[in-house]
Amino acid sequence: MAPAAKNALIIQSDCSVLLEVNSPRADEARAALASFAELVKSPEHVHTYRLTPLSIWNARATGLAADRMVTALREHTRYPVPSNVEQEIFELAARYGRVVIVREGDDLRCTCQDLATAERIARDKEAGQYLARRIDATSFRVDPAFRGVLKQALVGAGYPAEDLAGYVAGEPLDFVLRETSAAGTRFQVRDYQRQAAEAFYLAGSERGGSGVIVLPCGAGKTIVGMAAMDLVKQTTLVLTTSLTSVKQWRRELLDKTSLRQEDIADYTGEQKNTGPVTLTTYQILTWRADRDGEFPHLELFRARPWGLIVYDEVHLLPAPVFRITADLQARRRLGLTATLIREDGRESDVFALIGPKRFDVPWKDLERQAWIAAASCIEIRVPMSAERRMEYALAERRHQFRVAAENPAKRVHLRELLGQYPEGRILVIGEYIDQVTAIAKEIGAPLVMGKTPQAERERIYKRFRNGELHCIVLSKVGNFAIDLPDADVLIQVSGAFGSRQEEAQRLGRVLRPKNDGRAAHFFTLVSRDTREEEFAHHRKLFLTEQGYSYQVY
């Protein structure tokens, strides 16, 4: 057999890449491809990736050169790489940094590498409106107030800017990371966590200070945030997804740093304080009295001279926070996430306004090093009764998904799974309140949902952590920032249509490494021969890209 016949990739002239799953070198090819291509389809035998401008630019931002991308394709392709694909990679990669923004006195200077690029962006409908004052053939003077919106427009025009205009200093924040936690255990930032923080900070130079760190749930993104704070050592604003996450950040900061209670302020629905480190939620920042009203709490961004703003779960950043972030380009900005995927398609705004991807690690690499638990992913296709099938057939198309998702037959399979793991630490999670309420009542487990008071949530979570509870039922509030490290079985009874990010977050709930080394199990119950199967297929994409395979029963 010729060597090329063992290769897993077929590269097509439209910049799509096919990966044959059963090829001997499939795992190697997937690992090489994941750093600069996006997985778009993953049926059983052949997965489809696509080379996109954003995937190439994010790869460049992490230091991956164009020739290394092309070499990876040549090494793993079964047939010669189409010449136009190689040209496209070199062209897109060369665009990253062809436009540079620097500070010049009280203004900014936008300089292009060549005259052709200058003319192209000057004539662009969006970018051109911020480049009215020309300095010379290839440079423009820019009002600092337009720094963010110009970067957005340049990404849209296909010429992402390298922003070297630097940052203003926040107030000093004097603290250290502990070597022994307040709880008395040894604490050390892991090598990959330290590398991630340093890739963001870049020794304090203007080339660093903004960007996104991508790590799996359970890999310690909060620790990366604290390591970045330790490097910057300036007043810090942390934006999180929920009050539970605010409390988790507070616990971690008090346990693993020399910060005191009075150094950390909560700006939430319960209290609105600011301090050297301030913790808040996207929900409170985007609150307004009526649909057309102002967002009064966005003033928090200007309440102090922040030296660092941390956007936890940055893939969930709401539109109003994007708008205010466009005005905050002189502040260091760190995004933390398990996935750059946004279901609203605004990945380019994260790239432009928070910054490019600075660091990521394949999930399977951390699994092999035992930093996250090994996990099996199993999809169970559940038949519907004749009555339910008729209800599904007669429902309007937009209601069919819910009819399938709330299939009562799923509860039979759920009880069987609970019986298979009598010693398991189990989370049951679903999208629909009626469904999870009925399940919680049937199996006698506590239910946590949106209207559950925070104190009650914390009481339930604490009982689970202490081993008093072995099963909790969660609505979609369980997608994010619940600190239940011993959870090892998650049963998903329904989800938000085809959300790839939700699938990743839910698997992440059971990926924290266990003291006894036991594996995690991720089950999804899907109604057979319905639209739920289609959406389940799309949900798997991101995790398939990370090397996880789903068994289907």
Side-chain angles (χ1 to χ4, degrees):
M1 182 181 289
K6 297 181 181 180
N7 287 347
L9 300 185
I10 299 173
I11 296 110
Q12 305 189 104
S13 58
D14 64 352
C15 288
S16 61
V17 181
L18 306 180
L19 183 147
E20 187 180 334
V21 174
N22 297 319
S23 167
R25 301 188 66 199
D27 289 342
E28 295 175 54
R30 180 187 292 111
L33 198 57
S35 59
F36 62 94
E38 177 188 347
L39 182 65
V40 292
K41 293 180 185 177
S42 61
E44 287 83 357
H45 304 298
V46 178
H47 295 174
T48 303
Y49 289 76
R50 185 166 295 281
L51 302 167
T52 69
L54 212 55
S55 70
I56 299 295
W57 295 335
N58 269 312
R60 285 289 300 113
T62 61
L64 188 64
D67 56 357
R68 288 178 58 195
M69 301 180 211
V70 170
T71 298
L73 293 181
R74 290 175 177 171
E75 181 181 345
H76 292 285
T77 188
R78 188 169 300 171
Y79 308 107
V81 180
S83 59
N84 71 295
V85 173
E86 295 190 359
Q87 291 168 6
E88 184 76 357
I89 291 173
F90 282 115
E91 166 63 21
L92 287 171
R95 289 188 182 193
Y96 180 75
R98 192 179 292 179
V99 178
V100 178
I101 299 173
V102 298
R103 183 165 296 280
E104 196 169 76
D106 293 332
D107 289 328
L108 302 179
R109 182 185 183 111
C110 178
T111 301
C112 302
Q113 198 175 73
D114 51 66
L115 180 59
T117 303
E119 289 300 325
R120 172 71 183 272
I121 67 171
R123 295 169 188 270
D124 182 79
K125 182 179 178 181
E126 295 298 324
Q129 62 185 312
Y130 308 114
L131 302 171
R133 292 184 289 167
R134 201 153 189 162
I135 299 172
D136 55 37
T138 58
S139 300
F140 306 85
R141 197 167 303 285
V142 178
D143 187 327
F146 297 146
R147 185 173 171 180
V149 288
L150 172 60
K151 287 161 64 176
Q152 279 181 293
L154 288 170
V155 169
Y159 291 90
E162 186 170 10
D163 186 351
L164 303 180
Y167 307 96
V168 297
E171 297 172 358
L173 178 63
D174 186 23
F175 78 102
V176 295
L177 296 175
R178 299 176 185 266
E179 294 183 359
T180 302
S181 72
T185 59
R186 184 171 179 270
F187 171 64
Q188 184 176 15
V189 178
R190 299 169 186 167
D191 287 346
Y192 69 86
Q193 294 167 336
R194 176 67 66 189
Q195 290 164 13
E198 289 173 350
F200 161 76
Y201 188 58
L202 286 180
S205 78
E206 66 276 2
R207 293 185 180 278
S210 64
V212 178
I213 303 301
V214 183
L215 288 173
C217 302
K221 292 188 291 295
T222 305
I223 304 300
V224 174
M226 293 193 296
M229 290 171 60
D230 183 47
L231 292 170
V232 175
K233 288 195 184 298
Q234 295 177 19
T235 43
T236 300
L237 174 63
V238 180
L239 283 61
T240 70
T241 55
S242 65
L243 188 55
T244 299
S245 183
V246 164
K247 294 181 182 297
Q248 182 178 328
W249 270 87
R250 173 178 281 277
R251 280 198 306 271
E252 289 289 276
L253 287 166
L254 291 174
D255 185 54
K256 296 177 174 62
T257 77
S258 62
L259 291 168
R260 302 161 299 172
Q261 287 278 4
E262 57 267 31
D263 297 323
I264 308 170
D266 294 356
Y267 191 96
T268 64
E270 296 179 348
Q271 53 187 309
K272 294 177 177 60
N273 302 316
T274 65
V277 176
T278 299
L279 311 175
T280 190
T281 68
Y282 296 126
Q283 184 179 19
I284 196 70
L285 290 175
T286 54
W287 178 89
R288 52 182 171 176
D290 56 73
R291 185 174 181 178
D292 299 319
E294 297 295 318
F295 298 96
H297 300 301
L298 290 180
E299 287 303 311
L300 177 61
F301 284 103
R302 303 185 181 93
R304 283 176 177 255
W306 307 111
L308 173 65
I309 301 174
V310 179
Y311 299 82
D312 201 6
E313 309 291 4
V314 71
H315 61 281
L316 296 174
L317 207 63
V321 179
F322 270 127
R323 289 199 292 273
I324 195 72
T325 298
D327 299 333
L328 295 169
Q329 298 301 295
R331 306 288 176 189
R332 286 187 171 86
R333 306 170 306 284
L334 171 63
L336 301 171
T337 185
T339 165
L340 284 172
I341 293 166
R342 286 184 62 98
E343 303 303 339
D344 61 4
R346 295 191 67 171
E347 291 92 344
S348 63
D349 285 335
V350 173
F351 181 92
L353 298 178
I354 308 300
K357 179 175 65 176
R358 297 292 184 185
F359 185 88
D360 73 347
V361 178
W363 293 36
K364 285 292 183 177
D365 284 2
L366 294 185
E367 180 186 296
R368 280 188 286 271
Q369 297 171 52
W371 292 124
I372 60 176
S376 63
C377 300
I378 297 171
E379 179 181 308
I380 300 174
R381 294 183 180 170
V382 181
M384 293 194 295
S385 67
E387 293 79 9
R388 194 76 177 186
R389 288 201 307 272
M390 182 58 70
E391 181 184 354
Y392 178 84
L394 296 175
E396 294 181 30
R397 184 170 175 79
R398 62 196 178 97
H399 294 311
Q400 284 182 328
F401 178 81
R402 182 161 185 171
V403 172
E406 294 188 293
N407 177 8
K410 289 183 178 182
R411 303 216 293 264
V412 176
H413 290 268
L414 171 63
R415 288 195 299 272
E416 290 177 357
L417 289 172
L418 295 175
Q420 288 176 27
Y421 296 94
E423 304 299 321
R425 309 297 301 282
I426 303 171
L427 305 177
V428 179
I429 191 165
E431 177 75 8
Y432 300 107
I433 297 300
D434 290 347
Q435 182 186 35
V436 293
T437 300
I439 286 171
K441 184 176 180 181
E442 182 173 324
I443 67 175
L447 170 65
V448 177
M449 54 184 176
K451 66 180 182 182
T452 305
Q454 188 65 33
E456 175 66 7
R457 295 187 199 192
E458 292 297 327
R459 187 184 69 81
I460 292 171
Y461 295 156
K462 184 176 181 180
R463 290 181 63 204
F464 189 92
R465 285 192 290 266
N466 292 343
E468 299 169 35
L469 278 177
H470 287 270
C471 182
I472 303 175
V473 180
L474 300 155
S475 74
K476 60 185 179 182
V477 300
N479 289 350
F480 311 105
I482 52 173
D483 185 24
L484 303 174
D486 289 330
D488 61 351
V489 178
L490 188 141
I491 304 170
Q492 178 175 231
V493 295
S494 57
F497 296 94
S499 175
R500 297 162 292 173
Q501 60 175 229
E502 183 177 77
E503 192 86 347
Q505 293 289 341
R506 289 183 173 181
L507 174 60
R509 302 280 71 81
V510 292
L511 285 186
R512 292 278 288 274
K514 320 305 174 195
N515 291 332
D516 57 6
R518 69 187 186 279
H521 304 280
F522 180 64
F523 294 94
T524 301
L525 304 182
V526 176
S527 290
R528 197 171 70 201
D529 300 324
T530 70
R531 297 185 68 213
E532 197 180 20
E533 278 189 359
E534 302 169 26
F535 286 117
H537 171 72
H538 192 262
R539 292 174 67 90
K540 301 173 192 174
L541 279 175
F542 176 75
L543 293 177
T544 303
E545 190 174 16
Q546 295 299 322
Y548 290 92
S549 59
Y550 282 70
Q551 295 174 273
V552 178
Y553 293 107

